[in-house]
């Protein structure tokens, strides 16, 4: 019996020590990546390198605007920090993290049908799990998320990495030491070289509620305090329905511009929400002419 109790205690102690050790190693890998596997890690990697501008948003930012193309034509320095599924909550975290060490003259935020979303996005929030040791990040999750699991992510060692093993597990940790991500060589941009055939039907109708988004309001106020000018825009949709109205965005967002209806050529799109590489090149040129 005594031997069994000792073995149980040693086993439990070993598991606890291993959990703390793995949690430290995984977290360190995301905070100090050789090759960034997600955009929060990418911000950490670029350190204090200074930029003239930065781009934020969801997949409709990362696939639509090429900072290398902008930089070549304007002699400016910029970076694309958009990533898939980002809602206003994740965009706010990214802006806050970026402006800790950078003072761009302006930033651009892609926003559209997800303007009214308040809670963290189930998919996009995963990228922030390794950064819950940041007091601001953890407080924001506890404040805005209804997911009870967040109460345990920074209290039970290694729990967040086990729960999100497919996104944050050993494969991504290993690749962060040995292989570049597809966006890193292109300053955060990714091109869609192939995709689904675009249907003739217009983009699905959406309705925006006539109210402010607290996350976007915080971004506006924070940028003002840092003397950074913030611009909002809606990227192109394929055959954006005339029923859709972005007047709410015009009403509540500073320096807002609507590009949602500028293209209807299916050759420029990979699907109804995203441009392909040809469309991205064309839209980036328009973006340059509009803002630079």
């Amino acid at each position: 019996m005594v031997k069994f109790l000792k073995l149980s205690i040693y086993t439990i102690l070993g598991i606890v020590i291993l959990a703390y050790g793995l949690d430290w190693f995984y977290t360190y890998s995301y905070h100090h990546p050789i090759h960034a596997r997600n955009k929060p890690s990418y911000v950490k990697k670029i350190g204090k390198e200074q930029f003239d501008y930065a781009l934020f948003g969801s997949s409709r930012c990362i696939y639509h605007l090429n900072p290398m193309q902008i930089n070549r034509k304007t002699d400016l320095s910029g970076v694309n920090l958009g990533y898939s599924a980002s809602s206003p909550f994740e965009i706010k975290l990214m802006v806050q993290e970026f402006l800790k060490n950078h003072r761009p003259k302006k930033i651009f935020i892609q926003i559209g049908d997800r303007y009214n979303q308040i809670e963290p996005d189930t998919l996009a929030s995963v990228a922030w799990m390794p950064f819950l040791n940041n007091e601001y990040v953890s407080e924001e999750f506890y404040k805005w998320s209804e997911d009870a699991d967040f109460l345990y992510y920074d209290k039970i060692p290694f729990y967040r990495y086990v729960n999100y093993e497919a996104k944050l597990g050993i494969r991504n940790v290993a690749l962060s030491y040995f292989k570049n991500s597809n966006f890193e060589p292109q300053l955060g941009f990714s091109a869609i070289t192939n995709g689904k055939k675009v249907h003739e039907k217009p983009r699905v109708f959406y309705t925006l509620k006539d109210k402010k988004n607290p996350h976007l309001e915080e971004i506006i106020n924070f940028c003002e305090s840092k003397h950074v000018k913030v611009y909002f825009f809606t990227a192109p949709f394929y055959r954006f329905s005339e029923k859709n109205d972005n007047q709410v965005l015009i009403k509540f967002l500073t320096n807002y511009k609507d590009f949602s209806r500028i293209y209807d050529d299916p050759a420029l799109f990979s699907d109804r929400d995203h441009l392909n590489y040809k469309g991205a090149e064309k839209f980036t040129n328009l973006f340059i002419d509009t803002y630079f």
Side-chain angles (χ1 to χ4, degrees):
M1 185 65 179
V2 174
K3 288 183 178 180
F4 173 76
L5 289 175
K6 284 184 177 179
L7 179 61
S8 298
I9 292 172
Y10 290 149
T11 300
I12 293 171
L13 184 61
I15 291 173
V16 171
I17 293 173
L18 180 63
Y20 272 105
L22 287 173
D23 190 278
W24 178 88
F25 175 68
Y26 276 47
T27 301
Y28 180 87
S29 298
Y30 281 103
H31 280 248
H32 304 88
I34 296 175
H35 304 293
R37 302 303 301 173
N38 60 33
K39 287 299 178 71
S41 288
Y42 185 48
V43 172
K44 292 288 187 182
K45 182 180 178 182
I46 59 180
K48 295 186 177 181
E49 180 182 348
Q50 292 305 307
F51 297 94
D52 296 300
Y53 69 92
L55 308 164
F56 299 87
S58 63
S59 58
R60 288 171 38 74
C61 176
I62 186 175
Y63 297 130
H64 286 199
L65 290 168
N66 185 350
M68 295 182 70
Q69 185 178 336
I70 296 173
N71 297 353
R72 284 195 303 268
K73 293 193 173 185
T74 64
D75 290 326
L76 297 174
S77 175
V79 62
N80 189 327
L81 296 176
Y83 72 97
S84 295
S86 290
S87 71
F89 176 84
E90 289 80 28
I91 293 172
K92 179 181 71 173
L93 295 185
M94 188 67 76
V95 170
Q96 290 274 354
E97 185 64 34
F98 180 72
L99 292 184
K100 281 182 181 178
N101 295 317
H102 305 88
R103 288 296 176 270
K105 295 181 178 66
K106 56 184 76 172
I107 66 170
F108 301 90
I109 298 174
Q110 199 292 137
I111 198 71
D113 56 328
R114 305 185 71 187
Y115 167 78
N116 293 122
Q117 184 170 336
I118 303 298
E119 290 187 9
D121 182 87
T122 303
L123 295 176
S125 61
V126 175
W128 291 95
M129 293 299 101
F131 303 91
L132 286 177
N133 58 328
N134 179 298
E135 184 177 356
Y136 174 77
V137 173
S138 61
E139 286 180 353
E140 287 298 304
F141 271 109
Y142 296 150
K143 180 179 178 181
W144 295 102
S145 177
E146 295 182 355
D147 186 351
D149 276 352
F150 286 121
L151 298 174
Y152 308 105
Y153 284 151
D154 63 344
K155 294 179 174 60
I156 300 178
F158 204 56
Y159 174 56
R160 50 190 162 167
Y161 297 110
V162 171
N163 200 43
Y164 292 113
E165 197 280 334
K167 296 289 186 180
L168 302 174
I170 187 62
R171 178 180 180 276
N172 269 317
V173 171
L175 289 175
S176 72
Y177 287 93
F178 301 111
K179 184 179 179 181
N180 258 342
S181 60
N182 64 341
F183 63 80
E184 195 173 353
Q186 301 183 80
L187 295 174
F189 170 71
S190 291
I192 301 178
T193 55
N194 52 50
K196 302 175 183 177
K197 185 178 180 181
V198 179
H199 300 290
E200 292 299 313
K201 294 181 180 179
R203 207 282 180 187
V204 178
F205 172 69
Y206 64 73
T207 302
L208 301 178
K209 296 178 182 178
D210 189 4
K211 59 191 298 185
K212 292 182 178 181
N213 184 296
H215 304 307
L216 300 179
E217 284 295 300
E218 187 173 331
I219 290 174
I220 292 170
N221 294 333
F222 183 66
C223 287
E224 184 177 345
S225 71
K226 298 294 183 181
H227 306 291
V228 176
K229 196 163 186 178
V230 57
Y231 296 82
F232 293 90
F233 68 98
T234 299
F237 288 109
Y238 177 67
R239 295 193 174 180
F240 194 53
S241 173
E242 292 294 333
K243 294 181 180 179
N244 288 294
D245 190 352
N246 287 329
Q247 289 301 312
V248 171
L249 305 181
I250 296 173
K251 179 178 179 180
F252 292 119
L253 299 179
T254 59
N255 303 309
Y256 173 76
K257 191 164 185 62
D258 188 358
F259 296 102
S260 60
R261 294 185 176 90
I262 60 173
Y263 303 135
D264 61 3
D265 182 357
L268 300 176
F269 290 85
S270 65
D271 57 44
R272 286 181 291 183
D273 286 1
H274 301 96
L275 297 168
N276 59 26
Y277 71 100
K278 293 180 180 178
E281 182 178 7
K282 187 171 183 177
F283 181 53
T284 300
N285 281 330
L286 175 63
F287 200 84
I288 292 169
D289 292 340
T290 302
Y291 293 110
F292 300 106

